[in-house]
Amino acid sequence: MYSFTEENYLKTIYHLSQQKHLENVTTNAIADLLQTKAASVTDMLKKLADKKLILYVKYQGVNLTEKGFKVAIGTVRKHRLWEVFLFDKLKFGWEEVHEVAEQLEHIQSDYLIDKLDTFLNYPSVDPHGDPIPGKDGTIKSQTLTLLIDCKKNAQVVISGVKEHSVAFLQRLNEMELCLGKKLKIHEINEFDRCMIVMIDKEAKILVSNEVAKNILVSEA
């Protein structure tokens, strides 16, 4: 059994290694994401290394051991299942679920999490389109494209978001853009690649470059 802080560190190392495709995650990257001091990170990394959860060499970065990966991926699984529960069953907004799931992800009962997975009918993605690891820790690969990289007349479905901030998700709510919405790219501005898109073959809206860079889509 591990503390909240230990699980959060392991999850952070996992996310950074996935997002940046790094073999070794730097102390500064962890400190930036957790908004804490590098010295505090170093102290925790030493403790995690003593527990054989990470491989840590000073000035060379850190990566998860097999033991540490299991803890990290298990925490990610719990977090994303709780997000589905909050969104689907309790009708939280997708911009609201993360903070609550951050607390619920530290529940230690595997039996409860397995029951939750069954109750939710084994979801494959969370409300933001992120894949939910299986009980064995495996994650199904996804082939998604950024909306900004799509061409004129392409027909796509919103399948995820790259940015998870509350402000960004609230902006998508205002634009009525959510997972499952079908889009057709009507026009692309040559100067800044802002787009005019048609939603579900009905309304046309302007999507800025910044928003388009953070929406993940799949073929319709």
Side-chain angles (χ1 to χ4, degrees), residues 95-205:
E95 76 280 10
E96 299 174 312
V97 297
H98 176 75
E99 185 175 350
V100 182
E102 282 284 297
Q103 301 170 53
L104 293 170
E105 71 183 25
H106 299 293
I107 291 174
Q108 296 296 324
S109 172
D110 291 335
Y111 180 72
L112 171 61
I113 300 306
D114 290 343
K115 283 286 189 180
L116 178 64
D117 194 17
T118 302
F119 176 68
L120 296 171
N121 198 26
Y122 311 104
S124 59
V125 296
D126 71 12
H128 309 107
D130 295 320
I132 297 174
K135 187 176 179 179
D136 61 356
T138 58
I139 296 180
K140 292 182 180 179
S141 61
Q142 294 178 300
T143 304
L144 302 179
T145 304
L146 290 173
L147 181 60
I148 193 70
D149 295 330
C150 294
K151 297 180 180 179
K152 183 178 178 181
N153 295 322
Q155 298 186 54
V156 297
V157 178
I158 298 178
S159 300
V161 289
K162 185 178 178 182
E163 170 66 53
H164 289 71
S165 69
V166 171
F168 177 67
L169 297 175
Q170 287 177 334
R171 178 59 181 144
L172 294 188
N173 287 342
E174 294 168 0
M175 300 172 71
E176 298 186 0
L177 296 176
C178 59
L179 294 194
K181 285 284 186 178
K182 294 181 180 179
L183 309 178
K184 181 177 180 180
I185 300 173
H186 190 68
E187 293 181 27
I188 301 175
N189 184 280
E190 290 185 9
F191 174 67
D192 62 1
R193 289 195 64 79
C194 66
M195 299 175 170
I196 294 178
V197 303
M198 183 176 289
I199 305 175
D200 288 340
K201 299 182 179 180
E202 296 177 358
K204 290 180 182 177
I205 64 168

